Coordinates of all heavy atoms in Angstrom, one line a residue:
M1 N 24.3 -4.4 20.7 CA 24.1 -5.9 20.7 C 22.7 -6.2 21.1 O 22.2 -5.7 22.0 CB 25.1 -6.6 21.5 CG 25.1 -8.0 21.4 SD 26.7 -8.7 22.0 CE 26.1 -10.3 22.4
A2 N 22.1 -7.1 20.3 CA 20.7 -7.5 20.7 C 20.5 -8.3 21.9 O 21.4 -9.2 22.2 CB 20.1 -8.2 19.4
T3 N 19.6 -8.1 22.6 CA 19.4 -8.8 23.8 C 18.5 -10.1 23.5 O 18.0 -10.3 22.4 CB 18.6 -8.0 24.9 OG1 17.3 -7.7 24.4 CG2 19.3 -6.7 25.3
V4 N 18.4 -10.9 24.5 CA 17.7 -12.2 24.3 C 16.2 -11.9 24.0 O 15.6 -12.5 23.2 CB 17.8 -13.1 25.5 CG1 17.0 -14.3 25.4 CG2 19.3 -13.4 25.7
Y5 N 15.7 -10.8 24.7 CA 14.3 -10.5 24.5 C 14.0 -9.9 23.1 O 13.0 -10.3 22.4 CB 13.8 -9.4 25.5 CG 13.9 -10.0 26.9 CD1 14.6 -9.5 27.9 CD2 13.0 -11.1 27.3 CE1 14.7 -9.9 29.2 CE2 13.1 -11.6 28.6 CZ 14.0 -11.0 29.5 OH 14.0 -11.4 30.8
E6 N 14.9 -9.2 22.6 CA 14.8 -8.6 21.2 C 14.9 -9.8 20.2 O 14.0 -9.8 19.2 CB 15.8 -7.6 20.8 CG 15.7 -6.3 21.6 CD 16.9 -5.4 21.4 OE1 17.9 -5.8 20.8 OE2 16.7 -4.3 21.8
L7 N 15.7 -10.7 20.4 CA 15.9 -11.9 19.5 C 14.6 -12.8 19.5 O 14.1 -13.2 18.6 CB 17.1 -12.7 19.9 CG 17.4 -13.9 18.9 CD1 17.7 -13.4 17.5 CD2 18.6 -14.6 19.5
A8 N 14.1 -13.0 20.7 CA 12.9 -13.8 20.9 C 11.7 -13.1 20.3 O 10.8 -13.8 19.6 CB 12.6 -14.0 22.4
A9 N 11.6 -11.7 20.4 CA 10.5 -11.0 19.8 C 10.7 -11.1 18.3 O 9.6 -11.3 17.6 CB 10.4 -9.6 20.3
F10 N 11.8 -11.0 17.7 CA 12.0 -11.1 16.3 C 11.6 -12.4 15.8 O 10.9 -12.6 14.8 CB 13.5 -10.7 15.9 CG 13.8 -10.9 14.5 CD1 13.4 -10.0 13.5 CD2 14.4 -12.1 14.1 CE1 13.6 -10.2 12.2 CE2 14.6 -12.3 12.8 CZ 14.2 -11.4 11.8
L11 N 12.1 -13.5 16.5 CA 11.7 -14.8 16.0 C 10.2 -15.1 16.1 O 9.7 -15.7 15.2 CB 12.6 -15.8 16.8 CG 14.0 -15.9 16.6 CD1 14.7 -16.9 17.6 CD2 14.3 -16.3 15.2
L12 N 9.6 -14.6 17.1 CA 8.2 -14.8 17.2 C 7.4 -14.1 16.0 O 6.6 -14.7 15.5 CB 7.6 -14.2 18.6 CG 6.1 -14.2 18.8 CD1 5.7 -15.6 19.0 CD2 5.7 -13.3 19.9
F13 N 7.7 -12.8 15.8 CA 7.0 -12.1 14.7 C 7.5 -12.6 13.4 O 6.7 -12.5 12.4 CB 7.2 -10.6 14.9 CG 6.3 -10.1 16.0 CD1 6.8 -9.7 17.2 CD2 4.9 -9.9 15.7 CE1 6.0 -9.2 18.2 CE2 4.1 -9.4 16.7 CZ 4.6 -9.1 18.0
A14 N 8.7 -13.2 13.2 CA 9.1 -13.8 12.0 C 8.2 -15.0 11.7 O 7.8 -15.2 10.5 CB 10.6 -14.1 12.0
L15 N 8.0 -15.8 12.7 CA 7.1 -17.0 12.6 C 5.7 -16.5 12.2 O 5.1 -17.2 11.4 CB 7.1 -17.8 13.8 CG 8.4 -18.6 14.1 CD1 8.4 -19.3 15.3 CD2 8.6 -19.7 12.9
V16 N 5.3 -15.5 12.9 CA 3.9 -15.0 12.6 C 3.8 -14.5 11.2 O 2.8 -14.8 10.4 CB 3.5 -13.9 13.6 CG1 2.2 -13.1 13.2 CG2 3.3 -14.4 14.9
T17 N 4.8 -13.8 10.7 CA 4.8 -13.3 9.3 C 4.8 -14.4 8.3 O 4.0 -14.4 7.4 CB 6.0 -12.3 9.1 OG1 6.0 -11.3 10.1 CG2 6.0 -11.7 7.7
V18 N 5.7 -15.3 8.5 CA 5.8 -16.5 7.5 C 4.6 -17.3 7.6 O 4.0 -17.7 6.6 CB 7.1 -17.3 7.7 CG1 7.1 -18.5 7.0 CG2 8.3 -16.5 7.5
G19 N 4.1 -17.6 8.7 CA 2.9 -18.5 8.9 C 1.7 -17.9 8.3 O 0.9 -18.5 7.6
S20 N 1.4 -16.6 8.6 CA 0.3 -16.0 8.1 C 0.4 -15.7 6.6 O -0.6 -15.8 5.8 CB -0.1 -14.7 8.8 OG 1.1 -13.8 8.7
S21 N 1.6 -15.5 6.1 CA 1.7 -15.4 4.7 C 1.5 -16.7 3.9 O 0.9 -16.7 2.8 CB 3.1 -14.9 4.3 OG 3.4 -13.6 4.9
L22 N 2.0 -17.8 4.5 CA 1.6 -19.1 3.9 C 0.1 -19.4 4.0 O -0.5 -20.0 3.0 CB 2.4 -20.2 4.6 CG 3.9 -20.3 4.3 CD1 4.6 -21.4 5.2 CD2 4.0 -20.8 2.8
G23 N -0.5 -18.9 5.1 CA -1.9 -19.1 5.2 C -2.7 -18.3 4.2 O -3.8 -18.8 3.7
V24 N -2.2 -17.2 3.8 CA -2.9 -16.4 2.7 C -3.1 -17.2 1.4 O -4.0 -17.2 0.8 CB -2.2 -15.0 2.5 CG1 -2.7 -14.3 1.3 CG2 -2.4 -14.1 3.7
V25 N -1.9 -17.9 1.2 CA -1.9 -18.6 -0.1 C -2.6 -20.0 -0.1 O -3.3 -20.4 -1.0 CB -0.4 -18.8 -0.6 CG1 -0.4 -19.7 -1.8 CG2 0.3 -17.5 -0.7
L26 N -2.6 -20.6 1.1 CA -3.0 -22.0 1.3 C -4.5 -22.1 1.7 O -5.1 -23.1 1.4 CB -2.1 -22.8 2.3 CG -0.6 -22.9 1.7 CD1 0.2 -23.6 2.8 CD2 -0.5 -23.6 0.4
V27 N -5.0 -21.1 2.4 CA -6.4 -21.2 2.9 C -7.4 -21.0 1.7 O -7.1 -20.2 0.8 CB -6.6 -20.1 3.9 CG1 -8.1 -20.1 4.3 CG2 -5.8 -20.5 5.1
R28 N -8.4 -21.9 1.7 CA -9.3 -21.9 0.6 C -10.4 -20.8 0.8 O -10.9 -20.3 -0.2 CB -10.0 -23.3 0.5 CG -9.0 -24.4 0.1 CD -9.7 -25.6 -0.1 NE -10.7 -25.7 -1.2 CZ -10.3 -26.0 -2.4 NH1 -9.1 -26.3 -2.7 NH2 -11.2 -26.0 -3.4
D29 N -10.7 -20.4 2.0 CA -11.8 -19.4 2.2 C -11.2 -18.0 2.1 O -10.2 -17.7 2.6 CB -12.4 -19.5 3.6 CG -13.5 -18.6 3.9 OD1 -14.2 -18.3 2.9 OD2 -13.8 -18.3 5.0
V30 N -11.9 -17.2 1.2 CA -11.3 -15.8 1.0 C -11.4 -14.9 2.1 O -10.4 -14.1 2.3 CB -12.2 -15.2 -0.3 CG1 -11.7 -13.8 -0.6 CG2 -12.2 -16.1 -1.5
W31 N -12.4 -15.0 3.0 CA -12.5 -14.2 4.2 C -11.3 -14.5 5.1 O -10.7 -13.6 5.6 CB -13.8 -14.5 4.8 CG -14.0 -13.7 6.1 CD1 -14.0 -14.2 7.3 CD2 -14.1 -12.3 6.2 NE1 -14.2 -13.2 8.2 CE2 -14.3 -12.0 7.6 CE3 -14.2 -11.3 5.3 CZ2 -14.4 -10.7 8.0 CZ3 -14.3 -10.0 5.7 CH2 -14.5 -9.7 7.1
H32 N -11.0 -15.7 5.4 CA -9.9 -16.1 6.2 C -8.5 -15.7 5.6 O -7.6 -15.3 6.4 CB -9.9 -17.7 6.5 CG -11.0 -18.0 7.4 ND1 -12.0 -19.0 7.0 CD2 -11.4 -17.6 8.7 CE1 -12.8 -19.1 7.9 NE2 -12.5 -18.3 9.0
S33 N -8.4 -15.8 4.3 CA -7.3 -15.4 3.6 C -7.0 -13.8 3.8 O -5.9 -13.4 4.0 CB -7.4 -15.7 2.2 OG -6.2 -15.2 1.5
A34 N -8.1 -13.1 3.8 CA -8.0 -11.6 4.0 C -7.6 -11.3 5.4 O -6.8 -10.4 5.7 CB -9.3 -10.9 3.7
L35 N -8.1 -12.1 6.4 CA -7.7 -11.9 7.8 C -6.2 -12.2 8.1 O -5.6 -11.5 8.7 CB -8.6 -12.7 8.7 CG -10.1 -12.2 8.8 CD1 -10.9 -13.2 9.7 CD2 -10.2 -10.8 9.4
L36 N -5.8 -13.3 7.4 CA -4.4 -13.7 7.5 C -3.5 -12.7 6.8 O -2.3 -12.4 7.3 CB -4.1 -15.0 6.9 CG -4.7 -16.2 7.8 CD1 -4.7 -17.5 7.0 CD2 -3.9 -16.3 9.0
L37 N -4.0 -12.0 5.8 CA -3.2 -10.9 5.1 C -3.0 -9.8 6.1 O -1.9 -9.2 6.1 CB -3.9 -10.5 3.9 CG -3.2 -9.3 3.1 CD1 -1.8 -9.7 2.6 CD2 -4.1 -8.9 1.9
G38 N -4.1 -9.5 6.8 CA -4.0 -8.4 7.8 C -3.0 -8.8 8.9 O -2.3 -7.8 9.3
A39 N -3.0 -10.0 9.4 CA -2.0 -10.4 10.4 C -0.5 -10.3 9.8 O 0.3 -9.9 10.5 CB -2.2 -11.8 10.8
A40 N -0.4 -10.7 8.5 CA 0.9 -10.5 7.9 C 1.4 -9.1 7.8 O 2.6 -8.7 8.1 CB 0.9 -11.2 6.5
L41 N 0.5 -8.2 7.4 CA 0.9 -6.8 7.2 C 1.2 -6.2 8.6 O 2.0 -5.3 8.7 CB -0.3 -6.1 6.5 CG -0.5 -6.4 5.0 CD1 -1.7 -5.7 4.5 CD2 0.8 -6.1 4.2
L42 N 0.4 -6.5 9.6 CA 0.7 -6.0 10.9 C 2.0 -6.5 11.5 O 2.7 -5.7 12.1 CB -0.5 -6.3 11.9 CG -1.7 -5.5 11.8 CD1 -2.8 -6.1 12.7 CD2 -1.5 -4.1 12.0
S43 N 2.3 -7.7 11.2 CA 3.6 -8.2 11.7 C 4.8 -7.6 11.0 O 5.8 -7.4 11.6 CB 3.6 -9.7 11.7 OG 3.6 -10.2 10.3
V44 N 4.6 -7.2 9.8 CA 5.6 -6.5 9.0 C 5.8 -5.1 9.6 O 6.9 -4.6 9.7 CB 5.3 -6.4 7.5 CG1 6.2 -5.4 6.7 CG2 5.4 -7.7 6.8
A45 N 4.7 -4.5 10.1 CA 4.8 -3.2 10.8 C 5.6 -3.4 12.1 O 6.4 -2.4 12.4 CB 3.4 -2.6 11.1
V46 N 5.5 -4.4 12.8 CA 6.2 -4.7 14.0 C 7.7 -4.8 13.7 O 8.5 -4.4 14.4 CB 5.7 -6.0 14.7 CG1 6.6 -6.3 15.9 CG2 4.3 -5.7 15.3
H47 N 8.1 -5.4 12.5 CA 9.4 -5.5 12.1 C 10.0 -4.2 11.9 O 11.2 -3.9 12.2 CB 9.6 -6.4 10.9 CG 9.4 -7.9 11.2 ND1 10.3 -8.6 11.9 CD2 8.4 -8.7 10.8 CE1 9.9 -9.9 11.9 NE2 8.8 -9.9 11.3
Y48 N 9.2 -3.3 11.3 CA 9.7 -1.9 11.1 C 9.9 -1.2 12.4 O 10.9 -0.5 12.5 CB 8.7 -1.0 10.3 CG 8.7 -1.4 8.8 CD1 7.5 -1.5 8.2 CD2 9.8 -1.7 8.1 CE1 7.4 -1.8 6.8 CE2 9.8 -2.0 6.8 CZ 8.6 -2.1 6.1 OH 8.6 -2.3 4.7
V49 N 9.1 -1.4 13.4 CA 9.3 -0.8 14.7 C 10.6 -1.3 15.3 O 11.4 -0.6 15.9 CB 8.1 -1.0 15.6 CG1 8.4 -0.7 17.0 CG2 6.9 -0.3 15.1
M50 N 10.8 -2.6 15.2 CA 12.1 -3.3 15.7 C 13.3 -2.6 15.0 O 14.4 -2.6 15.7 CB 12.1 -4.7 15.5 CG 11.1 -5.5 16.4 SD 11.3 -7.2 16.1 CE 10.0 -7.9 17.1
L51 N 13.2 -2.2 13.8 CA 14.3 -1.6 13.0 C 14.4 -0.1 13.3 O 15.2 0.6 12.7 CB 14.1 -1.9 11.6 CG 14.4 -3.3 11.1 CD1 14.0 -3.5 9.7 CD2 15.8 -3.7 11.3
Q52 N 13.5 0.4 14.2 CA 13.5 1.8 14.6 C 13.1 2.7 13.4 O 13.6 3.8 13.2 CB 14.8 2.3 15.3 CG 15.1 1.6 16.5 CD 16.4 2.0 17.1 OE1 17.2 2.7 16.5 NE2 16.7 1.5 18.3
A53 N 12.2 2.2 12.6 CA 11.7 2.9 11.4 C 10.2 3.1 11.7 O 9.3 2.5 11.1 CB 11.9 2.2 10.2
E54 N 9.9 4.0 12.7 CA 8.5 4.2 13.1 C 7.7 4.8 12.1 O 6.4 4.5 11.9 CB 8.5 5.0 14.4 CG 9.0 4.4 15.6 CD 10.5 4.5 15.7 OE1 11.2 5.1 14.9 OE2 11.1 3.8 16.6
F55 N 8.2 5.7 11.2 CA 7.4 6.3 10.2 C 7.0 5.2 9.1 O 5.8 5.3 8.7 CB 8.3 7.4 9.4 CG 7.5 8.0 8.3 CD1 6.5 8.9 8.6 CD2 7.8 7.7 7.0 CE1 5.7 9.5 7.6 CE2 7.0 8.3 6.0 CZ 6.1 9.2 6.2
L56 N 7.8 4.3 8.7 CA 7.4 3.3 7.9 C 6.4 2.3 8.5 O 5.5 1.9 7.8 CB 8.7 2.4 7.5 CG 9.6 3.1 6.4 CD1 10.8 2.1 6.2 CD2 8.9 3.4 5.1
A57 N 6.5 2.1 9.8 CA 5.5 1.3 10.5 C 4.2 2.0 10.5 O 3.2 1.3 10.2 CB 6.0 1.0 11.9
A58 N 4.2 3.2 10.7 CA 2.9 4.0 10.7 C 2.3 4.0 9.3 O 1.1 3.8 9.1 CB 3.1 5.4 11.2
M59 N 3.1 4.2 8.3 CA 2.6 4.1 6.9 C 2.1 2.7 6.5 O 1.1 2.6 5.8 CB 3.7 4.6 5.9 CG 4.0 6.0 6.0 SD 2.5 7.1 5.8 CE 2.2 7.6 7.4
Q60 N 2.8 1.7 6.9 CA 2.4 0.4 6.7 C 0.9 0.1 7.3 O 0.1 -0.5 6.6 CB 3.4 -0.6 7.4 CG 3.0 -2.0 7.4 CD 3.3 -2.8 6.0 OE1 4.1 -2.2 5.2 NE2 2.7 -3.9 5.8
I61 N 0.8 0.6 8.6 CA -0.6 0.4 9.2 C -1.6 1.2 8.5 O -2.8 0.8 8.2 CB -0.5 0.7 10.7 CG1 0.4 -0.4 11.3 CG2 -1.8 0.7 11.3 CD1 0.7 -0.1 12.7
L62 N -1.3 2.5 8.2 CA -2.3 3.4 7.7 C -2.6 3.0 6.2 O -3.8 3.0 5.8 CB -1.8 4.9 7.7 CG -1.8 5.5 9.1 CD1 -1.2 6.8 8.9 CD2 -3.2 5.6 9.6
V63 N -1.7 2.8 5.4 CA -1.9 2.6 4.0 C -2.4 1.2 3.7 O -3.4 0.9 3.1 CB -0.7 2.9 3.1 CG1 -0.9 2.5 1.7 CG2 -0.4 4.4 3.3
Y64 N -1.5 0.2 4.1 CA -1.9 -1.2 3.8 C -3.0 -1.8 4.7 O -4.0 -2.3 4.1 CB -0.6 -2.0 3.9 CG 0.4 -1.7 2.8 CD1 1.5 -1.1 3.0 CD2 0.0 -2.1 1.4 CE1 2.4 -0.7 1.9 CE2 0.9 -1.8 0.4 CZ 2.0 -1.1 0.6 OH 2.9 -0.8 -0.4
V65 N -2.8 -1.7 5.9 CA -3.8 -2.3 6.8 C -5.1 -1.5 6.8 O -6.2 -2.0 6.7 CB -3.3 -2.6 8.3 CG1 -4.4 -3.1 9.2 CG2 -2.0 -3.4 8.2
G66 N -4.9 -0.2 6.9 CA -6.1 0.7 6.9 C -6.8 0.9 5.6 O -8.0 1.1 5.6
G67 N -6.1 0.9 4.5 CA -6.7 1.1 3.2 C -6.9 -0.1 2.4 O -8.1 -0.4 2.1
V68 N -5.9 -0.8 2.1 CA -5.9 -1.9 1.2 C -6.7 -3.0 1.7 O -7.6 -3.6 1.1 CB -4.5 -2.3 0.7 CG1 -4.6 -3.6 -0.1 CG2 -3.8 -1.2 -0.1
L69 N -6.5 -3.3 3.0 CA -7.2 -4.5 3.6 C -8.7 -4.2 3.8 O -9.4 -5.1 3.6 CB -6.5 -4.8 4.9 CG -7.0 -6.2 5.5 CD1 -6.6 -7.3 4.6 CD2 -6.4 -6.3 6.9
I70 N -9.0 -2.9 4.1 CA -10.4 -2.6 4.1 C -11.1 -2.7 2.9 O -12.2 -3.2 2.8 CB -10.6 -1.1 4.8 CG1 -10.0 -1.1 6.2 CG2 -12.0 -0.7 4.8 CD1 -10.8 -2.1 7.2
L71 N -10.5 -2.3 1.8 CA -11.0 -2.5 0.4 C -11.2 -3.9 0.1 O -12.2 -4.3 -0.5 CB -10.1 -1.8 -0.6 CG -10.2 -0.3 -0.6 CD1 -9.2 0.2 -1.6 CD2 -11.6 0.2 -1.0
I72 N -10.3 -4.8 0.4 CA -10.4 -6.2 0.2 C -11.5 -6.8 1.0 O -12.3 -7.6 0.5 CB -9.1 -6.9 0.5 CG1 -8.0 -6.5 -0.5 CG2 -9.2 -8.4 0.5 CD1 -6.7 -7.1 -0.3
T73 N -11.7 -6.3 2.2 CA -12.7 -6.9 3.1 C -14.1 -6.5 2.5 O -15.0 -7.3 2.5 CB -12.6 -6.3 4.5 OG1 -11.3 -6.7 5.0 CG2 -13.6 -6.8 5.4
F74 N -14.2 -5.3 2.1 CA -15.5 -4.8 1.5 C -15.8 -5.6 0.2 O -16.9 -5.9 -0.1 CB -15.5 -3.2 1.2 CG -15.7 -2.4 2.4 CD1 -15.3 -1.2 2.4 CD2 -16.4 -2.9 3.5 CE1 -15.5 -0.3 3.5 CE2 -16.5 -2.1 4.6 CZ -16.1 -0.8 4.7
A75 N -14.7 -5.8 -0.6 CA -14.9 -6.6 -1.8 C -15.4 -8.0 -1.5 O -16.3 -8.5 -2.2 CB -13.7 -6.5 -2.7
V76 N -14.8 -8.6 -0.6 CA -15.2 -9.9 -0.2 C -16.6 -10.0 0.4 O -17.4 -10.8 0.0 CB -14.2 -10.5 0.9 CG1 -14.8 -11.8 1.5 CG2 -12.9 -10.8 0.3
M77 N -17.0 -9.0 1.2 CA -18.3 -9.0 1.7 C -19.4 -8.7 0.7 O -20.5 -9.3 0.7 CB -18.5 -7.9 2.9 CG -17.7 -8.4 4.1 SD -17.9 -7.3 5.5 CE -18.2 -5.7 5.0
L78 N -19.1 -7.8 -0.3 CA -20.1 -7.5 -1.3 C -20.2 -8.6 -2.4 O -21.2 -8.6 -3.0 CB -19.7 -6.1 -1.9 CG -19.9 -5.0 -1.0 CD1 -19.3 -3.7 -1.6 CD2 -21.3 -4.8 -0.6
T79 N -19.2 -9.3 -2.7 CA -19.2 -10.3 -3.8 C -19.5 -11.7 -3.3 O -19.7 -12.5 -4.1 CB -17.9 -10.3 -4.6 OG1 -16.9 -10.6 -3.7 CG2 -17.7 -9.0 -5.2
R80 N -19.5 -11.9 -2.0 CA -19.7 -13.3 -1.4 C -21.2 -13.7 -1.7 O -22.1 -12.9 -1.4 CB -19.4 -13.3 0.0 CG -19.5 -14.6 0.6 CD -18.9 -14.6 2.0 NE -17.9 -15.7 2.1 CZ -17.2 -15.9 3.1 NH1 -17.5 -15.2 4.2 NH2 -16.4 -16.9 3.1
T81 N -21.4 -14.9 -2.1 CA -22.8 -15.3 -2.3 C -23.0 -16.5 -1.3 O -22.1 -17.3 -1.0 CB -22.9 -15.9 -3.7 OG1 -22.0 -17.0 -3.9 CG2 -22.9 -14.9 -4.8
E82 N -24.1 -16.4 -0.7 CA -24.6 -17.4 0.3 C -25.0 -18.7 -0.4 O -25.8 -18.6 -1.4 CB -25.6 -16.9 1.2 CG -25.2 -15.8 2.1 CD -24.2 -16.2 3.1 OE1 -24.1 -17.3 3.6 OE2 -23.2 -15.4 3.3
T83 N -24.4 -19.8 -0.1 CA -24.8 -21.1 -0.7 C -25.9 -21.6 0.0 O -25.9 -21.9 1.4 CB -23.6 -22.1 -0.8 OG1 -23.1 -22.3 0.6 CG2 -22.5 -21.5 -1.7
E84 N -27.0 -21.8 -0.6 CA -28.2 -22.5 0.1 C -28.1 -24.0 0.0 O -27.6 -24.5 -1.0 CB -29.5 -22.0 -0.5 CG -29.7 -20.5 -0.3 CD -30.9 -19.9 -1.0 OE1 -31.8 -20.8 -1.3 OE2 -31.0 -18.8 -1.1
P85 N -28.5 -24.6 1.1 CA -28.5 -26.1 1.0 C -29.5 -26.6 -0.1 O -30.5 -26.0 -0.4 CB -29.0 -26.6 2.3 CG -29.7 -25.4 2.9 CD -29.1 -24.1 2.3
D86 N -29.1 -27.7 -0.8 CA -29.8 -28.2 -1.9 C -31.2 -28.7 -1.3 O -31.3 -29.5 -0.3 CB -29.1 -29.4 -2.5 CG -27.9 -28.9 -3.3 OD1 -27.8 -27.8 -3.6 OD2 -27.0 -29.7 -3.4
E87 N -32.2 -28.2 -1.9 CA -33.6 -28.8 -1.5 C -33.9 -30.1 -2.2 O -33.5 -30.3 -3.4 CB -34.6 -27.7 -1.9 CG -34.5 -26.4 -1.2 CD -35.5 -25.4 -1.6 OE1 -36.6 -25.8 -2.1 OE2 -35.3 -24.2 -1.3
P88 N -34.5 -31.0 -1.5 CA -34.8 -32.3 -2.2 C -35.8 -32.0 -3.3 O -36.7 -31.2 -3.1 CB -35.3 -33.1 -1.0 CG -35.7 -32.2 0.0 CD -34.9 -30.9 -0.1
E89 N -35.7 -32.7 -4.3 CA -36.5 -32.6 -5.5 C -37.8 -33.5 -5.2 O -37.7 -34.6 -4.7 CB -35.9 -33.1 -6.7 CG -34.8 -32.2 -7.2 CD -34.2 -32.7 -8.5 OE1 -34.8 -33.3 -9.2 OE2 -33.0 -32.3 -8.8
V90 N -38.9 -32.9 -5.6 CA -40.2 -33.6 -5.4 C -40.4 -34.4 -6.6 O -40.4 -33.8 -7.8 CB -41.3 -32.6 -5.1 CG1 -42.7 -33.3 -5.0 CG2 -41.1 -31.8 -3.9
S91 N -40.6 -35.7 -6.5 CA -40.9 -36.5 -7.7 C -42.3 -36.4 -8.1 O -43.2 -36.3 -7.3 CB -40.6 -38.0 -7.3 OG -41.5 -38.4 -6.3
R92 N -42.5 -36.2 -9.4 CA -43.8 -36.1 -9.9 C -44.3 -37.3 -10.7 O -44.2 -37.4 -11.9 CB -43.8 -34.9 -10.9 CG -43.5 -33.6 -10.2 CD -43.5 -32.4 -11.2 NE -43.1 -31.2 -10.5 CZ -43.1 -30.1 -11.0 NH1 -43.5 -29.9 -12.3 NH2 -42.7 -29.0 -10.4
T93 N -44.7 -38.2 -9.9 CA -45.2 -39.5 -10.5 C -46.7 -39.7 -10.4 O -47.4 -39.0 -9.7 CB -44.6 -40.7 -9.8 OG1 -44.8 -40.7 -8.5 CG2 -43.1 -40.7 -10.1

């Protein structure tokens, strides 16, 4: 039977998973979306540990967080363009 601490930990990480997953979809900045994806993937790994599936948790961290998220981070960093402030136009009269 689950203890109160296990139930509280499950509810906490369930809220983290759902909140960060919603943030991935709703946030407009790609960099913040990638960070929220990392939080969602890590919290899913915590759920695997709670289910006593340590191998799946390790594969979740190694493959998804370690591999896919790093590739997404590199893609965001390499394709991001810096927006320069608009320079005032000089009138030629």
